[in-house]
Amino acid sequence: MEQVMASIPDFEIAETGISKDNSAEAEQFKFRVDEIFQKVDELEQKVNEVEQFYLSSSKKHQSSSKGSSMGKERDKERQVPSIKKQQQDVSRREAAAAKRMQELMRQFGTIVRQITQHKWAWPFMQPVDVKGLGLHDYYEIIEKPMDFSTIKNQMEAKDGTGYKNVRDICADVRLVFNNAMKYNDEGSDVHLMAKTLLEKFEEKWQLLLPKVTEEEKRRDEEEAEAQLDMQLVREAAHAKMVRDLCNELYEVDTHLEHLRETVVQKCRKMSTEEKRNLGTAIARLSMEDLNKALEIIAQSNPAFQAMAEEVEIDIDAQSESTLWRLKFFVKDALELQSKSAMSTGGNNNNYNNKRKKEICDAIAKTAKKKSKKTSC
């Protein structure tokens, strides 16, 4: 522990390089940096939103990948609709579907009239007079009473409370007869009348059923098409968000570059002693931080191969901008290393030690060459 802590003072606390007289300027820089951090946080939220959208989209595409190849080709050729056009298309489809359903309900109404005109339909035309007939256990046996006058009122309702689907009416018609057969004994007249009319109803229903099935299939297809249009609109919106994010990131990067150059112009030049201490401090970095330090060098020197098998680092050849960036980074990295060592009891991870040793030897070797040239 003491050994780790003792290694940091050798690399003195990194000054900003800005004179004390310019403390007001330093505060201004700090404020601008804080603004950039806030902007970056906002951009990160947008990036996460876009990422989550495309992750969910990917899962949906995978789950629907069993569709036909013809359907996939149609999807590729589909143009991205505008939100306004999509809303118009949805309204148009819904109006057309409602009109078709009304026609099916009209045809179903013909079936209901035929059944209710049968001579045996009279017991089912009005709600059961439970009190008048003394049927004290009726509601214990029948959970949902139903009759044709109630069905008719629902079919003719204009306030939006009526039936929306033919199958709903069909279910209530069956309920009328099933209730009667459930409450009345099998040998009773009402049971027989209900059973007979139910059979006649089922025969007529089977004639209309293909049209109902066709309409339901068409609705499903239109719903799938509407969902696809919505997905395309969302993808277009998020694609625009991605483009905007790229532009904003470019602006942030430009702003940071401007700040960096401004700071470098205000900084004094690093002394030979400071460069020597910097090289010594770099050698103390963990393998992960050492690679990051190499990346900093590579950013200002495209020819520098940070991941090459043999790396030669000439501290004296680095620009003032690179040196100060390295100094700030190394200071923070060593402080974090010391805190980490304190929390883990000084246990260090020794993976990739060979690579680290090669890089540190390269720094020392270059420094030694410079020293010999100076002495000569």
Side-chain angles (χ1 to χ4, degrees):
M1 178 76 68
E2 293 177 357
Q3 185 178 359
V4 174
M5 294 299 291
S7 66
I8 296 177
D10 292 340
F11 177 50
E12 298 173 355
I13 297 176
E15 307 88 350
T16 60
I18 301 176
S19 64
K20 293 180 180 179
D21 295 335
N22 293 326
S23 58
E25 272 190 286
E27 284 299 318
Q28 184 180 4
F29 282 128
K30 183 178 182 299
F31 176 74
R32 292 170 69 185
V33 169
D34 288 341
E35 280 186 327
I36 292 177
F37 272 119
Q38 184 178 355
K39 182 67 175 177
V40 169
D41 288 339
E42 293 174 1
L43 292 176
E44 282 182 351
Q45 291 178 0
K46 292 181 181 179
V47 169
N48 289 334
E49 181 183 340
V50 172
E51 183 181 16
Q52 290 302 316
F53 171 77
Y54 281 108
L55 283 174
S56 61
S57 297
S58 177
K59 290 178 182 178
K60 288 179 182 177
H61 287 318
Q62 289 176 3
S63 63
S64 61
S65 61
K66 296 181 180 179
S68 65
S69 58
M70 186 178 297
K72 291 178 180 178
E73 289 300 321
R74 281 203 307 269
D75 294 348
K76 290 179 182 178
E77 297 172 1
R78 181 185 297 274
Q79 297 294 321
V80 178
S82 66
I83 294 178
K84 184 176 180 181
K85 184 178 185 302
Q86 184 191 8
Q87 291 173 341
Q88 292 173 344
D89 289 345
V90 169
S91 298
R92 176 183 56 78
R93 279 196 295 262
E94 287 179 351
K99 188 175 181 180
R100 294 194 305 269
M101 184 55 67
Q102 285 296 324
E103 174 58 23
L104 287 175
M105 292 174 72
R106 186 192 67 77
Q107 295 178 37
F108 190 87
T110 301
I111 297 175
V112 172
R113 282 194 299 274
Q114 291 173 349
I115 294 299
T116 55
Q117 288 172 1
H118 194 277
K119 62 180 179 180
W120 284 355
W122 62 267
F124 316 110
M125 297 303 296
Q126 299 295 328
V128 175
D129 186 4
V130 176
K131 187 176 180 180
L133 296 174
L135 308 178
H136 306 297
D137 60 347
Y138 187 81
Y139 294 117
E140 296 177 7
I141 298 173
I142 303 303
E143 296 179 4
K144 181 184 177 183
M146 186 55 60
D147 64 277
F148 280 107
S149 66
T150 301
I151 292 175
K152 182 181 178 182
N153 291 336
Q154 283 283 90
M155 290 181 68
E156 296 175 353
K158 303 296 183 182
D159 58 356
T161 61
Y163 293 112
K164 302 295 188 297
N165 192 291
V166 173
R167 287 190 183 271
D168 294 338
I169 316 175
C170 178
D172 279 353
V173 171
R174 286 171 174 161
L175 185 61
V176 171
F177 300 128
N178 286 327
N179 282 349
M181 289 188 290
K182 183 178 182 180
Y183 187 78
N184 296 277
D185 295 335
E186 190 171 348
S188 67
D189 291 341
V190 175
H191 187 103
L192 177 61
M193 294 162 75
K195 183 178 181 181
T196 301
L197 290 179
L198 179 59
E199 290 173 354
K200 290 183 177 296
F201 168 74
E202 293 293 353
E203 290 175 3
K204 296 179 182 298
W205 168 246
Q206 289 302 316
L207 298 176
L208 183 62
L209 185 58
K211 293 182 180 180
V212 175
T213 303
E214 182 182 353
E215 173 60 22
E216 290 172 340
K217 182 180 178 181
R218 183 172 178 177
R219 282 202 170 197
D220 289 342
E221 290 175 350
E222 289 181 350
E223 178 65 24
E225 184 179 356
Q227 289 180 359
L228 177 59
D229 286 344
M230 179 63 74
Q231 179 69 13
L232 289 173
V233 168
R234 288 173 180 167
E235 287 182 0
H238 281 82
K240 182 180 182 301
M241 185 183 292
V242 169
R243 291 194 297 272
D244 292 342
L245 278 172
C246 289
N247 292 334
E248 290 183 75
L249 285 170
Y250 176 77
E251 289 178 6
V252 169
D253 187 56
T254 303
H255 195 183
L256 283 172
E257 183 66 24
H258 176 71
L259 278 179
R260 189 184 72 175
E261 293 304 321
T262 304
V263 169
V264 170
Q265 291 172 9
K266 298 287 183 180
C267 286
R268 58 175 173 74
K269 286 191 176 183
M270 194 174 286
S271 67
T272 303
E273 181 67 16
E274 285 176 311
K275 291 178 184 179
R276 185 184 67 79
N277 289 339
L278 177 59
T280 304
I282 290 175
R284 297 194 184 102
L285 294 174
S286 66
M287 188 62 206
E288 182 181 356
D289 288 334
L290 194 56
N291 285 328
K292 291 179 181 178
L294 295 179
E295 289 174 7
I296 291 174
I297 295 173
Q299 285 173 7
S300 59
N301 185 5
F304 180 74
Q305 299 294 323
M307 302 306 294
E309 290 186 8
E310 293 186 6
V311 179
E312 184 171 331
I313 303 175
D314 186 352
I315 292 294
D316 293 326
Q318 306 306 316
S319 66
E320 289 298 322
S321 170
T322 301
L323 289 172
W324 281 107
R325 289 179 65 198
L326 280 172
K327 192 168 186 178
F328 297 147
F329 169 76
V330 172
K331 172 185 174 290
D332 292 340
L334 289 178
E335 286 181 352
L336 285 174
Q337 278 184 209
S338 68
K339 291 178 182 178
S340 176
M342 290 174 65
S343 63
T344 58
N347 293 326
N348 292 322
N349 190 350
N350 293 321
Y351 78 98
N352 274 332
N353 278 343
K354 181 179 178 182
R355 170 69 173 168
K356 179 179 177 181
K357 185 176 184 302
E358 290 174 352
I359 295 172
C360 295
D361 288 346
I363 296 173
K365 184 178 179 182
T366 306
K368 191 174 182 181
K369 287 181 181 178
K370 292 283 182 181
S371 178
K372 286 183 178 179
K373 287 181 181 179
T374 304
S375 62
C376 291

